Amino acid sequence: MVNRFRSDRGLVARMVLTVFLLGLLYVAFVGVLIVLLKSAVLVIVFAAALLGAQYWFSDRIALYAMRGRVVERDEYPQLHGVVDRLCAVADMPKPQVAVADMDMPNAFATGRNQDHAVVCVTTGLLRRLEPDELEGVLSHELSHVAHKDVAVITVASFLGVIAGLIVRFAFYSQMFARGRKDQNTLAVFAAVIGVSIAVYAISFVLIRTLSRYRELAADRAGALLTGRPSALASALTKVDGAIARIPTRDLRTAQAFNAFYFTPALGDSPVFQRVFSTHPSLEQRLDQLARISTELGEAAAPGKAG
């Protein structure tokens, strides 16, 4: 086994660039809102409060939304044992271990740093995977924590969240304003909505670009840590196939958190949804794992052959 998670210069460069560009966009966004709404205090306090909440409570929000709960060793000894071994090999603090009671097989990691992180798996994943496949998935998720891209994607997602909230707020405030409407008010709110939509679109593209690369980086780092890329390839194939068989209506709630998942909850989705997916295609991920398998002298990944 490789002694630690290998650093990824490409990932670091992309994270720095994404945060820088989103930071500029965020400052410009707040500046435009201050000019339009003529209330610097309101805009700054609102934006700061949301950013702080997303940064400090991201792990709790994600667990709550996906019905996950932190579990102790006596409840899931095998799961804790795998996380213990991987953290020892990677020389990193052990995150909290959580389980979400849902049939969809998946996993995610969240948290603002290595000391405040959570790795969560679903009961559907635990039921379907073999021990070496589970180890591959968990090594992938732990690499997100080690590379700090979990915190970056959480903060990066904030701008899109606030832009969406402002659009909703402006829309509903106009619905209930009634007699107080005038042309100036309508013009201001139209401008706010237009700017918010533009900001959401730009942040959407930036986050998708970073998210796809970070998933490939996590696959690579996880496969090198365990030395068994074929196990990770097998897990990817199983999970992707199982999700494809889950009714789309049952995946809708989970789709809001696709950027954090091991495999996106797309199911049998239209092609355009897959084009804008947070993850690279299954074929890309399996091709990379097959190359790593060859480099390590391991037998060809079974997930690719299937």
Side-chain angles (χ1 to χ4, degrees):
M1 287 189 181
V2 177
N3 199 20
R4 294 170 186 240
F5 283 116
R6 293 184 180 179
S7 61
D8 189 309
R9 292 183 180 179
L11 178 60
V12 172
R14 284 167 173 79
M15 288 195 296
V16 171
L17 180 61
T18 300
V19 170
F20 176 73
L21 292 176
L22 285 173
L24 290 179
L25 186 62
Y26 179 69
V27 171
F29 184 41
V30 170
V32 170
L33 291 180
I34 290 174
V35 171
L36 291 174
L37 300 179
K38 299 178 181 178
S39 178
V41 174
L42 176 63
V43 172
I44 292 173
V45 169
F46 178 70
L50 283 180
L51 179 59
Q54 181 138 350
Y55 180 75
W56 289 100
F57 303 111
S58 61
D59 52 345
R60 300 181 194 178
I61 293 171
L63 279 180
Y64 176 80
M66 295 313 302
R67 304 195 303 270
R69 65 181 182 88
V70 175
V71 297
E72 301 300 329
R73 185 182 300 276
D74 57 350
E75 295 179 85
Y76 288 88
Q78 181 185 358
L79 178 60
H80 270 272
V82 174
V83 175
D84 284 336
R85 289 195 301 274
L86 290 173
C87 287
V89 173
D91 191 23
M92 63 181 289
K94 181 183 178 182
Q96 292 190 89
V97 178
V99 172
D101 186 13
M102 60 175 60
D103 184 56
M104 180 188 71
N106 229 317
F108 67 89
T110 185
R112 60 185 184 273
N113 54 45
Q114 290 192 35
D115 294 321
H116 299 86
V118 179
V119 172
C120 182
V121 299
T122 67
T123 51
L125 185 84
L126 293 175
R127 188 170 61 253
R128 288 176 172 89
L129 297 190
E130 298 298 325
D132 60 336
E133 295 168 337
L134 177 62
E135 182 182 65
V137 172
L138 289 172
S139 66
H140 169 105
E141 296 303 329
L142 288 172
S143 77
H144 282 314
V145 177
H147 288 157
K148 301 180 177 64
D149 59 81
V150 168
V152 171
I153 206 72
T154 297
V155 174
S157 301
F158 163 75
L159 193 56
V161 170
I162 192 173
L165 287 175
I166 288 174
V167 170
R168 291 184 185 182
F169 173 77
F171 176 75
Y172 286 117
S173 65
Q174 281 300 293
M175 282 184 59
F176 294 108
R178 294 183 180 178
R180 293 181 292 136
K181 292 181 181 178
D182 56 53
Q183 284 195 342
N184 288 337
T185 302
L186 288 173
V188 168
F189 276 95
V192 169
I193 291 174
V195 171
S196 298
I197 291 173
V199 166
Y200 179 83
I202 295 170
S203 63
F204 180 92
V205 172
L206 290 174
I207 290 168
R208 287 320 183 263
T209 302
L210 172 62
S211 183
R212 290 183 182 185
Y213 186 90
R214 86 183 189 109
E215 293 302 327
L216 289 173
D219 284 346
R220 183 165 54 250
L224 291 172
L225 184 78
T226 63
R228 287 194 292 274
S230 61
L232 180 54
S234 178
L236 271 169
T237 305
K238 276 188 181 180
V239 171
D240 188 79
I243 289 177
R245 292 190 292 272
I246 295 177
T248 302
R249 64 178 180 274
D250 296 335
L251 298 176
R252 284 173 185 160
T253 301
Q255 286 174 352
F257 295 90
N258 272 346
F260 294 92
Y261 277 134
F262 171 66
T263 298
L266 293 178
D268 188 19
S269 299
V271 174
F272 78 90
Q273 286 191 24
R274 292 187 175 274
V275 170
F276 292 107
S277 174
T278 53
H279 290 57
S281 67
L282 176 64
E283 290 73 21
Q284 284 179 281
R285 298 177 76 176
L286 294 180
D287 283 343
Q288 176 181 247
L289 290 170
R291 290 194 298 272
I292 296 172
S293 181
T294 300
E295 292 169 7
L296 296 178
E298 188 191 40
K304 182 64 181 172

